[in-house]
Amino acid sequence: MILEYNLQFFAEGQGGEKTEPATEKKKQDARKEGQVAKSKEIENAFSLLALFLIMRFWVGTLGGNLQNMFRLVYDDIPTYIKNFNGYVNSRDIINLYIQILIEIIILMAPVLIIAVIVSFTCDVAQVGWKPTGKPLQPKFNKLNPISGFKKIFSKNSVVELIKSIMKIALVLIIAWNYLKKNSNGLFLLYDMNLNAGIAAAGNLVIDLGIRIAAAYLVIAIADYAYQRWKHMDDLKMTKQEVKDEYKQAEGDPQIKGKIRQKMREVSQRRMMQNVPKADVVITNPTHYAVAIMYDADNYAAPMVIAKGADYLAARIKEEARANDIEIVENKPLARMLYANVEVGELIPPELYQAVAEVLAFVYKLKGKVS
């Protein structure tokens, strides 16, 4: 028994396998939809590194200001109680909390501002500045449980799992090596007072955090390279998609060819209508034919009003015979006129003499000149 089959069923999508690099239009369309090569790990790594660097230079000032603020608040509590005979006015307490909140915001403002700047800079550095609201629009096709189930076991999920394992392993390895190296300093914490112990523990945490963030940055850079490769791979197109896009951008070549053909036909018909106005047709004699008209009252030189090669040349000569127009054979002149003068243009000065001799010959034949 012979089975019939269609090889297209084995092709990946319309037009076959996606082997062609994405065109600029495809990249621009993807960008408009919010599809860009972006790694979240870049932003996380730089934010983490910035956080610990800020703590290195700002945590002392932050801690001292917080201590002063709490000291002032607790020092004022007896005053509030004394002024109101054992009772505290709720309005004053609310004002106190508002004042505390403002002080905390002022203290944390540099940290928050730097965090926003780092996050914004990382995003712009990766994808440039071209905001779009398309990713925020709801897409109900994402609610498809089958598509969601496929994403769980997709290649991207495997990559994310590997990244998570690498990050956990990285933190554990760096933390273990660092704490093992500084284990003697940890035991000294028992002999320190509270402030000194907090400062020493803080330095350990900050140093460890900077090391983890720097190592995390290596993973982030590798992830960014992978995301760029994956983005370009996802945007690849089939040969058929490239052809369809070209047709949309440039127009169907067959349709454009038909349009050009129609335009040529219209131009040729208009040109053939001018042949009866010619004074002479200069020929090759078989390959080229050029119709010349000379109107001394309106033009400074003779004009080419029709020209053609092969079949069109034959039609020009046929039209000339039908209208009793002289046909003069002059091979060099016919080639020069056909190659250098377009329909509707005047004869160039270097050809005046040759064309004038032909016109004089024709006028003499027709008795226009003695």
Side-chain angles (χ1 to χ4, degrees):
M1 181 176 65
I2 299 176
L3 297 177
E4 294 183 0
Y5 59 90
N6 188 346
L7 291 177
Q8 289 299 321
F9 288 117
F10 298 93
E12 183 179 339
Q14 183 182 5
E17 187 179 357
K18 293 186 176 183
T19 57
E20 305 304 308
T23 60
E24 287 301 320
K25 182 179 183 302
K26 181 71 176 289
K27 294 176 185 177
Q28 292 173 4
D29 291 343
R31 185 179 179 86
K32 291 177 182 177
E33 295 293 330
Q35 300 174 14
V36 292
K38 177 184 174 183
S39 172
K40 295 183 294 184
E41 309 302 336
I42 289 285
E43 181 179 340
N44 295 339
F46 276 102
S47 298
L48 188 64
L49 182 60
L51 172 63
F52 284 110
L53 289 175
I54 293 170
M55 290 176 64
R56 165 65 68 193
F57 299 106
W58 181 249
V59 70
T61 303
L62 182 64
N65 289 337
L66 286 174
Q67 286 182 354
N68 293 334
M69 183 179 64
F70 281 114
R71 188 179 296 112
L72 290 174
V73 170
Y74 282 103
D75 287 345
D76 288 343
I77 288 178
T79 303
Y80 284 115
I81 296 175
K82 183 178 179 181
N83 291 339
F84 294 97
N85 299 322
Y87 296 97
V88 180
N89 190 325
S90 60
R91 180 178 298 174
D92 290 335
I93 295 298
I94 292 173
N95 292 334
L96 178 62
Y97 277 118
I98 292 174
Q99 184 180 355
I100 293 172
L101 182 61
I102 292 173
E103 292 293 333
I104 292 175
I105 292 174
I106 293 173
L107 289 175
M108 295 300 296
V111 179
L112 298 175
I113 291 173
I114 292 175
V116 172
I117 292 174
V118 169
S119 178
F120 177 79
T121 303
C122 289
D123 284 344
V124 173
Q126 291 185 81
V127 300
W129 175 250
K130 193 173 182 180
T132 176
K134 288 291 184 70
L136 302 177
Q137 296 178 359
K139 296 182 179 179
F140 296 101
N141 57 349
K142 292 186 177 181
L143 301 177
N144 189 342
I146 298 177
S147 300
F149 186 76
K150 288 181 179 179
K151 289 182 179 179
I152 296 176
F153 299 97
S154 66
K155 180 174 65 175
N156 190 51
S157 299
V158 175
V159 173
E160 292 297 326
L161 176 62
I162 294 174
K163 284 196 303 183
S164 299
I165 294 174
M166 289 177 62
K167 287 187 286 187
I168 294 173
L170 177 71
V171 172
L172 292 176
I173 291 171
I174 294 177
W176 170 257
N177 290 332
Y178 181 77
L179 294 176
K180 183 179 179 180
K181 182 179 178 180
N182 295 274
S183 57
N184 294 331
L186 294 175
F187 291 110
L188 295 177
L189 292 176
Y190 292 101
D191 299 328
M192 298 180 182
N193 58 37
L194 179 60
N195 289 337
I198 292 175
N203 287 330
L204 285 174
V205 172
I206 292 172
D207 289 342
L208 178 58
I210 291 174
R211 285 170 169 77
I212 292 174
Y216 186 19
L217 189 59
V218 176
I219 295 178
I221 294 173
D223 180 65
Y224 176 66
Y226 167 75
Q227 293 297 336
R228 284 187 64 86
W229 172 84
K230 180 178 178 296
H231 178 67
M232 298 307 298
D233 188 63
D234 291 340
L235 291 181
K236 278 185 176 180
M237 307 168 68
T238 64
K239 288 183 171 58
Q240 185 61 42
E241 287 175 337
V242 174
K243 291 179 181 177
D244 292 343
E245 184 178 295
Y246 176 80
K247 288 181 180 179
Q248 292 177 358
E250 303 294 334
D252 192 330
Q254 294 182 352
I255 296 176
K256 291 178 69 176
K258 290 180 179 178
I259 293 174
R260 285 195 295 267
Q261 182 181 355
K262 290 292 184 183
M263 292 177 65
R264 283 195 300 268
E265 291 175 356
V266 171
S267 177
Q268 289 174 7
R269 282 198 297 268
R270 189 182 302 114
M271 185 178 67
M272 295 302 295
Q273 292 173 357
N274 290 331
V275 173
K277 302 176 184 177
D279 293 302
V280 64
V281 172
I282 304 172
T283 66
N284 191 25
T286 56
H287 294 296
Y288 302 111
V290 181
I292 302 294
M293 178 189 73
Y294 181 46
D295 184 356
D297 296 332
N298 296 308
Y299 302 104
M303 177 188 295
V304 173
I305 60 173
K307 71 175 185 177
D310 299 328
Y311 171 73
L312 189 56
R315 288 191 57 195
I316 292 174
K317 289 186 286 185
E318 182 181 342
E319 188 71 19
R321 294 189 189 98
N323 290 273
D324 195 24
I325 296 171
E326 291 295 332
I327 300 174
V328 177
E329 179 181 335
N330 189 324
K331 295 180 181 180
L333 182 58
R335 291 195 187 98
M336 289 289 293
L337 290 170
Y338 184 85
N340 297 286
V341 187
E342 297 298 326
V343 175
E345 292 183 355
L346 299 179
I347 301 299
E350 57 268 22
L351 296 178
Y352 281 174
Q353 182 65 32
V355 174
E357 291 176 358
V358 173
L359 288 174
F361 172 74
V362 171
Y363 291 159
K364 188 174 182 180
L365 285 178
K366 293 193 173 184
K368 293 184 178 182
V369 293
S370 56

